[in-house]
Amino acid sequence: MKNGARIDFRNVRKAYADTTALHDFSLSISEGEFVTILGSSGSGKSTVLNALAGFAPATSGEITIGGESVTYTPPERRNLGMVFQNYSLFPHMSVAQNIAFPLRMRGVKRSEIAAKVDRALHTVRLEKYAARMPKELSGGQQQRVAFARAIVFAPPVLLMDEPLGALDLKLREALQFEIKEIQHLLGCTVVYVTHDQREALAMSDRIVVLKDGRIEQVGTPTEMYDRPQTRFVAQFIGQTNLLKLELNEQTAYLPDVGAQWRADNKADPASARFLSIRPEKLERRQPSEQDLVIEVTVSEAVFLGDVIEYSAQHASGFSVNFREPRASHANVASRGEKIRLAFSPQDAVMVPGH
């Protein structure tokens, strides 16, 4: 079910005095899509959300929701739901009153408000908490109330600004599933802002990675992880090993590990400067003829329950990280042990150097 609205950013720019926070931002979001704007502090991700919400109107360009331009429409007329990191609940109102507030502001009939509030409470599994005050709730419960308040009037677009940032890890992970489940149920379009790449990978239909107010890459979580298009994305999304590349017509030389690799399937040699290899793609196994082999000495082994993460060093001093499922080897590699790691050329990605 899709009850969401399409969103289009066309060449949106946002400037503050002498600083440009957003440069020529263009993006289309489909009805009912869950899109995460991902970036580090100062990347421009909150600027995108504020421009869409109307809190910080665009300096130039156009934003449309459902085909209608809202570039200079006041926030209260955009009919958007919003969830913030700090909950922003009214402390003097009960849970039910907090959820009912946007309905009252929209002039919904009193006879309809109770039914809508009950439905929202049921959606977030807080039926028994309607009469409680915010101070009587846990952080996770307060965030559920904030979420219920944002969806109670069935907005076509829901904006979420780091809503799980103040919660502990276990609760964040639990709410990630709940938010996705509710979004699928409602069919609304979601624009989600976070700096947490694991959160983005877990929740998104597509991810937009920002750096210095510009889009680095747009893609599905799988595309972002398996096929990063820039050095920044390769390092920002998950962990990776970046090996310097020296290319000629026939071969790719990796000076960091003193190895050559036939580059038959290489990317544009004019732009490729690094080889990105995810830690789980480096394996202690018998290599095939096509594999590249790296000889390293184990520095550390960190037990993480289902996996063991290793740090190792090549003789050149280059650090290599690799990861193994706990059950894949009966023996855990120990500090100082010399091992050989193999990987397939198909599991490595060439990326530009910028």
Side-chain angles (χ1 to χ4, degrees), residues 18-334:
D18 297 331
T19 302
T20 301
L22 208 58
H23 302 262
D24 195 30
F25 183 88
S26 294
L27 177 70
S28 293
I29 301 173
S30 301
E31 298 175 8
E33 191 175 16
F34 193 118
V35 170
T36 296
I37 312 296
L38 177 66
S40 55
S41 179
S43 62
K45 59 186 184 298
S46 291
T47 303
V48 173
L49 204 71
N50 288 332
L52 180 56
F55 299 145
T59 304
S60 60
E62 184 180 34
I63 302 173
T64 64
I65 299 176
E68 296 186 9
S69 179
V70 297
T71 312
Y72 304 108
T73 302
E76 65 274 12
R77 292 178 54 197
R78 298 194 184 195
N79 197 35
L80 307 175
M82 286 206 70
V83 183
F84 302 94
Q85 179 177 338
N86 60 358
Y87 319 139
S88 300
L89 301 179
F90 298 112
H92 62 287
M93 292 184 182
S94 69
V95 166
Q97 290 169 336
N98 265 282
I99 297 172
F101 182 78
L103 298 174
R104 295 196 349 252
M105 295 298 293
R106 286 167 171 76
V108 175
K109 294 179 181 178
R110 186 175 298 180
S111 58
E112 298 177 15
I113 289 178
K116 291 180 181 291
V117 169
D118 286 346
R119 191 155 52 244
L121 282 167
H122 176 74
T123 300
V124 298
R125 304 184 182 98
L126 288 178
E127 300 97 319
K128 298 178 181 179
Y129 296 83
R132 291 199 185 182
M133 304 301 287
K135 65 181 181 181
E136 299 175 300
L137 304 177
S138 68
Q141 289 168 340
Q142 288 186 58
Q143 193 57 287
R144 282 188 176 91
V145 175
F147 190 64
R149 185 178 60 186
I151 64 173
V152 70
F153 57 96
V157 175
L158 181 61
L159 310 183
M160 307 189 78
D161 190 3
E162 307 218 33
L164 308 181
L167 305 177
D168 62 69
L169 177 60
K170 281 289 186 183
L171 189 52
R172 283 205 311 271
E173 291 175 345
L175 285 179
Q176 286 172 14
F177 286 102
E178 289 189 25
I179 288 171
K180 281 295 293 179
E181 183 181 353
I182 293 171
Q183 189 253 346
H184 284 144
L185 177 67
L186 300 176
C188 59
T189 305
V190 173
V191 182
Y192 192 99
V193 163
T194 185
H195 66 275
D196 187 327
Q197 47 93 6
R198 288 179 178 270
E199 201 167 276
L201 290 171
M203 302 182 70
S204 314
D205 295 323
R206 283 191 300 156
I207 300 170
V208 181
V209 175
L210 285 185
K211 179 188 177 188
D212 299 329
R214 291 183 170 88
I215 293 177
E216 281 279 308
Q217 186 174 341
V218 180
T220 65
T222 302
E223 290 168 344
M224 287 290 188
Y225 191 82
D226 291 341
R227 292 288 176 250
Q229 295 174 359
T230 70
R231 178 185 180 184
F232 178 81
V233 173
Q235 292 177 304
F236 194 70
I237 301 285
Q239 291 181 307
T240 195
N241 296 285
L242 278 180
L243 304 178
K244 291 179 183 177
L245 269 176
E246 294 177 1
L247 296 170
N248 60 37
E249 291 183 0
Q250 298 298 324
T251 62
Y253 180 64
L254 305 171
D256 290 323
V257 293
Q260 280 193 334
W261 169 41
R262 281 186 21 235
D264 296 340
N265 61 342
K266 65 176 178 284
D268 180 4
S271 63
R273 291 293 180 268
F274 291 89
L275 196 69
S276 172
I277 312 153
R278 297 297 184 186
E280 65 273 15
K281 299 300 183 181
L282 294 169
E283 298 178 293
R284 288 190 283 165
R285 58 174 167 79
Q286 184 65 35
S288 68
E289 288 186 10
Q290 291 76 32
D291 283 348
L292 187 86
V293 178
I294 303 174
E295 295 185 356
V296 295
T297 302
V298 175
S299 304
E300 293 290 346
V302 179
F303 173 72
L304 295 176
D306 58 336
V307 299
I308 297 179
E309 291 196 351
Y310 293 94
S311 175
Q313 275 203 329
H314 185 264
S316 66
F318 183 79
S319 294
V320 175
N321 296 308
F322 66 102
R323 182 184 303 127
E324 293 179 341
R326 187 181 175 191
S328 67
H329 284 277
N331 62 313
V332 175
S334 56

